[in-house]
Each structure stands twice: as C-alpha cells, then as structure tokens.
Amino acid sequence: DSTEGDPMNPEADKLYQLLPAIYRIRDAEQNGALRALCEVLAEDIAALRENLDQLYDDQFIETCADWVAPYIGDLIGYRTLYAVTDRTRSARAEVANTIAYRRRKGTATVLEQLARDVTGWNARAVEFFQWLETSQYMNHLRPTNLSTVDLRNWEALERRDTAFNAIAHSVDMRRIETQQGRYNIPNVGLFLWRLDAFAVRRSPAFRVDDERFLFSPLGNNQPLFTRPQSETDITHLAEPLNVPEPISRRVLDTYLAQYYGPQLSLFLEADNLDTSLEKVQVCNLADNGATWAHLPVSKVSIDPVLGRIAVPPGTPPVNLRVTYHYGFSMPTGGGSYERGKTFALGGGFTSVMQGQSLQAALTAAQAGGIVQIADSGRYAETLSVNLPAAAKVEVRAANEHRPTLELNDDWTITLAPETELTLNGLLITGGRLRVVAAGAVGTRILRLRHCTLVPGLSLTREGEPVSPSVPSLVIEREGTTIEIDHCLLGGIRAVDNTEVSMTNTLVDAASPTGVAYAALDGQASGGVLNIVNCTVIGKAHTKRLDLASNTIFAAALAPGDSWSHPVWSEQNQQGCCRFSFVPLNSIVPRRYRCQPDLAVEAALLEADQPKGSLTGPQTEAITLATQARVRPAFTGRRYGQAAYGQLAGHCPEEILRGADDESEMGVFHDVFAPQRADNLHIRLQEYLRFGLEAGIFYST
C-alpha cells in the first residue's frame, strides 16, 4: 500500500483505510477517484457526528444551543420575560438557576435575587410583618421589636420607612399592591433602585479658595452616592453598602472605613497633604453667610450631602484630586462607562493629559486624526478648530473617563465641505459650541456622542443654570448635518438648510417656556429636525419635522408669548409625529397615537353616550381636564440632580407606557422601566408564597 492518508481530513482517511488494500492500490493507479468519493462521504459523516454531539449537549442547559434553552425551560414551567436587560436577553442563566430558586421558593432572599435578576436594578426584599407592633410572646422574645422609638438610635430614625427600616409600626390595612399599605402580616415589599452609581476618578477638585473645594467639576453641590458592593451569596439580604443610594453625613461618619478608599465610594488625593483614613473626618459644611459652617477644621473634612471638602488652614493642597460616584438613570452624557463601541475613528491618536494644551493637539490633528484625552481632568482653554476639506477628526475622552472642558469663550468650529468632526465623552461648560458661517458650499457633519453641554452654560453653587436663555449649540453654517446621540445639552439654534438628528438625548431650555430649538434669533424656524427617544424641555420651531418618535416635548407658551405655538413645524406635507407627547396647540405633521390627543379622544368617546350628546362647553371641559392630567412629570428638572429627566412615579400611564414598544417616552426610553417591572410581576406569580402579597417600591 503506497497511498498516504490526508492529515487535513482524518475522517476521510479513517474511512479510506477501512477499504481492502487491493482497492486502495488500484485506486492509486487510477488517480484516486475512490479516495475522492471517501472524502465526500466523510464530510457528511463529520456533519452527522457534529449533530449527534450537539444533540447530546442540548440535553444540558449549560451546553445547549440558544434555541433549545426555551424548550428546556418549558419542561420546568419557565416563563419567558421581556428581553430588556443583559440577564433576560438570554434565558440560559435563569433556566439554569431555576432549580436553585425553587428550593428557596417563598423566602425573602430568593425574591430579592429574582428582583435583581429580572429587573437589572439593585433590590432589597422586606418582610413587613417583622416590623409590626406586637405583644411579646415569652417563648419568642424580640428585643428589637419595640412599640416606642429609641430616640438615641440615630440610624433607625434616619432609615425609617425606607428599605432598611428598623422601627416597629402599627398595622396598615391598605393593600400593598397599590403601594399604599405596608406593615401587615401578609405583606412583602420589594424596593428597587432605578438610579445607578457612576464613577468620576481622579478628577481635579473645584477650588473655591485655599481651604474650600467641591467634588463636582462644575462647582455645584453634588450629592455623593454609594458604590454598591456585589452580593455573592443568594442567602444574603441587601444592606446599605449593596445599593446605590445617597450617602448621609451620619452614615459616612460612622462607617467611614467602608466608604472611603481608592476602590470604594469616595477618595481624596493631594501631592502635599495626607488624605489617609485617619486624617479625614465628616462634617456639615453647609453655607453660613459668605463662608461655610464649622470652619476652620483640624482634619480634611468631607460633606457627602453637598459634595464639599474643607482642608486645615495654612496648608493649601497641591493638585487635589477626587474620586467619587454620582447617581443617574442610564449611561448618557459621558462618564465612567463603556463607550469604546461608539468611537468614530480607529487607529493611532494624539494623547492629551492634565497640564498639556488641548488646543495645541487640536491644531496638530485638524487635518485629520484623533485627539484623545486620557484622564478626567479639567482643561480651561479657549478652543477653536478649522478642518480643511475632506478631513475627519475625532476629539474624545478615553474610555471610562469624562474630562471637563472649561471654555473661556465659544468653541468656534469651522468645517470645510466633506469634513466630519466627532466629539465623544466630553463635559463642556462655560461656553457654546458654534459652527461658524465659513467655508465653501457643501455638506459637513458634526457628531456629538455621549457628551454633556451644560444647560445654561454653567451652574451656580445651588445647581441653577447661570445663563438659562443661552443655547449650548449654535449652527451658523448652512449645509451642516448634526448628529446627536446619548447627550445632555441646552438649547439649539440652527440656520435654515441644516439637518439635526437626535437620539436618546435631553435638550433642556431650563423651562417649558424657554426656547429649545429655533433659528439664530430664537424665533424663526430652525433646520430640519429628526428626533427619536428624546426629551425636549422648551419650545421648538423647525422648518420641517421629518420624524418625532417616542419623544416628549415638554413645551408651553408664557403669558403674552411672541410664539403662537409651543411646537411648530413650518412644512407639514411630509413627516410624522408618532408615539410622542406633543401639546395640543402645536402644529406638527400627521400625528399617530400621540398624547394627549389619544387620551382626549378616548375621554370624549367614553363621555359621549349616547353619541352626539356632548355640548360644546362639555367637550371643552373634558379636553382641558384630560390635557391637565396627561402631561409629563419629572422627578428632577435641573441638570446635576441624580434623577434629572427621570419620569416621576405619578406620571400618567399614557406617557410611562406610551412608546411604540410600550416603554416610556423620552430620553430614558431604552431603560425599559415598565418592562422591567412587568418581568418582576411575572416572576412573583410563581415564587411568592401562597397567602402573601407583594408591593414594588422605588427607592430612587
């Protein structure tokens, strides 16, 4: 036998070797036709073998194909959920854990674990019967269950009626499902934290004077949040350190070692100052006239409620850097989250760090290239960029960083035809972005991704906008295309023949009567607008509204307003406004399932029985009442607040579930908060013990 097996095809070689030697000799003499046939058969055999191996693997949830997971789940009665979080997009993990969950079915620990898994939010389960005022049974004494409050126990008083309540209450007969009643024997409460904690690492502290500093790079009071520690044991109920909640002064003072450190919730560093744990104290640094209370101090003092720092007199800190966490609803506006997939350009880049000139790097790269800011530092400069024809430039923060650009004046941007400028991950304060009217006729693109252009340009110490009527973005050059994604910014002014596209963005003109979008004069129509999953606080006047989808226009006319409509599109022959909140007295293209139109129509239809019985005054009264009820309500209305732009719990269902996929309208549509709550209700039907009732409470 002179034939050699093909080492690249062991299956064919194995099959070929099973043939008699005389056939293999004759096949070698006749150009290997039989060998070729074996190779064809081997391919099918290999496919069959692979299929048999996969069929075996499909018997186990850990190794089965994705399409098999729901079938295995069906065998154990698993119900699929809305695929709105990383854990619910694939049923594999939850199906695998179902047996472990069911072993603990009906316990508070498994309810808490389920709440975390299916909502993606931090959670805590509370059995309210444990905090009922009861007569003590001598064989089962409960020393902590007192009918009167210990006024010396500050922690119990501070955490009263929260998820960590430790004060006994009298019985409450209201239903817990309505979020009214709590303390009763069958009641179990599931507390959810809708806000997450986002880190700011080694950012320069904002200097007030040699002894006073602020955590926030914008110079406003910034409540500090807990960096939640992961729970690794299903039998462990969440504690305050496991959830992202604001840090109080007493809590930080008592548990300073659990919150203060390089990898913990907050930390300070300075070149000439000892900021170790032993040299730090907690203090109330509230305003006291022109200065702060409780100054001077003997140690480095921190106020976590206001985000303030005081150092001992006589030792001005050099290069004081702060690490802390702030609360927000989702990764938007730049921050310490993953943004690598949003970078526009790849390849090499020019790196800039604190102390280096950002303008010098921009000048060197404006013919084409990337300028990457490698830290979360502060850059106080007057910036300008002038891109030649066909240049592509990206100015971005390094992944998981958020530098602050403190502009001394407007950032002037000159774009030649066919140029593209992308800004990514920047916090911009003190001035506007202004695309100047220069360059030849042609198209040019300005992209803003995960940026914050502080509404009102800058903030006061109390967090109010300094210049609420001044826009953040001004487009003076016709032919410019603006793409805005996952940004927070103030008003926009855009000349005619421009196109502005926004997704998952909040535009804030400081009040519903302010001007959020218009031409340069704040009156005439701005360029063509395309807006999806956004919240617009203020009036809007556009040449054409090509598309408005899942968007909230929180706009209103002031008494004696020069505007005739709060939202106004000049050309309405094309375009669509769908699944959005638009004030009734607006002029926009065809509306499809918008609010409050839909609610008014339903209310009139219900009241008009028999048909045609409503009079004109009755119709007007019903319309006004429905319009007053169905309008957006926000938990926070000022940039800098943790719940900024978040829809409040009492916001009408028509808005909370008014998007095209029954999620909420507005900038936080992609949080899918209604679907997360629905997922939890689905699971509670299976895991809640018979006779118990559960209520969902939002801690943030």
Side-chain angles (χ1 to χ4, degrees), residues 506-552:
L506 195 157
V507 180
D508 185 7
S511 74
T513 58
V515 179
Y517 186 83
L520 299 181
D521 61 357
Q523 294 284 338
S525 61
V528 176
L529 183 61
N530 189 308
I531 184 166
V532 178
N533 299 349
C534 293
T535 298
V536 180
I537 300 176
K539 299 176 294 187
H541 189 184
T542 176
K543 174 183 178 181
R544 186 175 71 248
L545 186 60
D546 276 348
L547 175 65
S549 179
N550 301 337
T551 293
I552 295 174

Side-chain angles (χ1 to χ4, degrees), residues 107-125:
T107 63
T109 54
V110 77
L111 292 177
E112 179 178 295
Q113 184 67 37
L114 281 169
R116 279 198 299 269
D117 288 347
V118 303
T119 65
W121 290 323
N122 291 275
R124 175 177 167 86

Side-chain angles (χ1 to χ4, degrees), residues 630-645:
V630 182
R631 58 182 180 180
F634 300 98
T635 307
R637 286 285 302 274
R638 286 286 179 260
Y639 173 72
Q641 297 175 336
Y644 176 56

Side-chain angles (χ1 to χ4, degrees), residues 123-454:
R124 175 177 167 86
V126 177
E127 298 171 297
F128 284 115
F129 73 85
Q130 294 185 354
W131 301 110
L132 271 177
E133 294 178 354
T134 57
S135 299
Q136 295 283 358
Y137 178 47
M138 298 304 295
N139 289 340
H140 182 55
L141 294 177
R142 301 164 64 193
T144 60
N145 188 256
L146 305 176
S147 59
T148 56
V149 179
D150 182 3
L151 298 181
R152 296 180 179 86
N153 189 345
W154 68 266
E155 190 165 4
L157 293 172
E158 182 166 296
R159 301 191 187 280
R160 66 188 184 279
D161 295 329
T162 68
F164 307 101
N165 174 77
I167 298 176
H169 287 64
S170 58
V171 66
D172 192 340
M173 302 305 296
R174 294 172 295 179
R175 295 290 301 276
I176 192 173
E177 293 179 354
T178 63
Q179 298 185 352
Q180 298 297 319
R182 293 193 182 188
Y183 300 92
N184 205 338
I185 293 174
N187 291 353
V188 176
L190 293 170
F191 289 82
L192 302 175
W193 280 260
R194 293 186 292 172
L195 300 181
D196 204 353
F198 295 90
V200 176
R201 298 185 180 91
R202 307 195 73 191
S203 174
F206 185 92
R207 182 182 180 278
V208 178
D209 54 34
D210 287 345
E211 299 178 21
R212 298 182 296 169
F213 297 84
L214 297 164
F215 278 89
S216 171
L218 301 177
N220 62 304
N221 298 327
Q222 176 79 65
L224 309 185
F225 271 63
T226 304
R227 179 189 181 185
Q229 298 180 6
S230 300
E231 297 179 77
T232 57
D233 189 356
I234 192 175
T235 62
H236 177 268
L237 285 175
E239 299 175 2
L241 275 172
N242 303 122
V243 297
E245 65 175 7
I247 306 173
S248 71
R249 298 183 181 103
R250 281 185 174 271
V251 168
L252 184 61
D253 180 61
T254 305
Y255 305 105
L256 184 61
Q258 300 179 25
Y259 288 88
Y260 184 83
Q263 304 301 323
L264 300 179
S265 299
L266 64 150
F267 188 62
L268 304 179
E269 299 174 81
D271 294 344
N272 65 330
L273 193 64
D274 187 358
T275 58
S276 61
L277 182 65
E278 297 76 17
K279 299 297 182 179
V280 172
Q281 65 182 4
V282 181
C283 190
N284 182 353
L285 300 176
D287 289 332
N288 184 14
T291 184
W292 295 350
H294 306 116
L295 294 180
V297 294
S298 58
K299 294 183 177 181
V300 177
S301 295
I302 297 175
D303 186 338
V305 175
L306 299 175
R308 296 182 175 183
I309 306 166
V311 300
T315 56
V318 177
N319 194 18
L320 180 61
R321 303 175 300 279
V322 296
T323 296
Y324 67 98
H325 291 74
Y326 65 94
F328 204 60
S329 297
M330 67 176 288
T332 300
S336 60
Y337 52 84
E338 173 62 38
R339 292 182 293 103
K341 295 181 180 180
T342 68
F343 291 168
L345 302 178
F349 53 82
T350 300
S351 182
V352 179
M353 297 189 67
Q354 180 76 33
Q356 297 177 341
S357 172
L358 178 58
Q359 178 59 56
L362 288 176
T363 303
Q366 63 186 10
I370 303 170
V371 176
Q372 178 165 294
I373 303 176
D375 56 15
S376 297
R378 180 184 293 110
Y379 298 81
E381 300 184 42
T382 300
L383 299 178
S384 63
V385 62
N386 187 346
L387 303 190
K392 295 183 179 181
V393 175
E394 181 174 22
V395 183
R396 69 194 187 201
N399 200 20
E400 299 186 358
H401 286 83
R402 188 186 68 172
T404 302
L405 308 189
E406 189 175 348
L407 303 180
N408 300 324
D409 201 349
D410 291 347
W411 183 348
T412 57
I413 300 172
T414 304
L415 301 177
E418 308 303 324
T419 56
E420 298 181 13
L421 174 63
T422 303
L423 307 182
N424 191 321
L426 307 178
L427 172 60
I428 301 174
T429 182
R432 308 174 299 175
L433 288 187
R434 185 164 65 93
V435 180
V436 298
V441 176
T443 59
R444 60 266 290 158
I445 298 176
L446 171 63
R447 295 189 187 94
L448 302 179
R449 294 178 177 173
H450 294 275
C451 288
T452 296
L453 281 59
V454 177

Side-chain angles (χ1 to χ4, degrees), residues 684-696:
L684 287 176
Q685 296 177 16
E686 177 182 355
Y687 286 92
L688 191 64
R689 197 175 67 196
F690 178 77
L692 298 184
E693 297 182 10
I696 299 176

Side-chain angles (χ1 to χ4, degrees), residues 10 48 59 85 167 175 217 238 272 300 312 314 417 483 493 526 532 570:
L48 181 60
Q59 298 180 66
T85 66
I167 298 176
R175 295 290 301 276
N272 65 330
V300 177
E483 300 174 3
R493 303 290 184 270
V532 178
E570 295 282 357

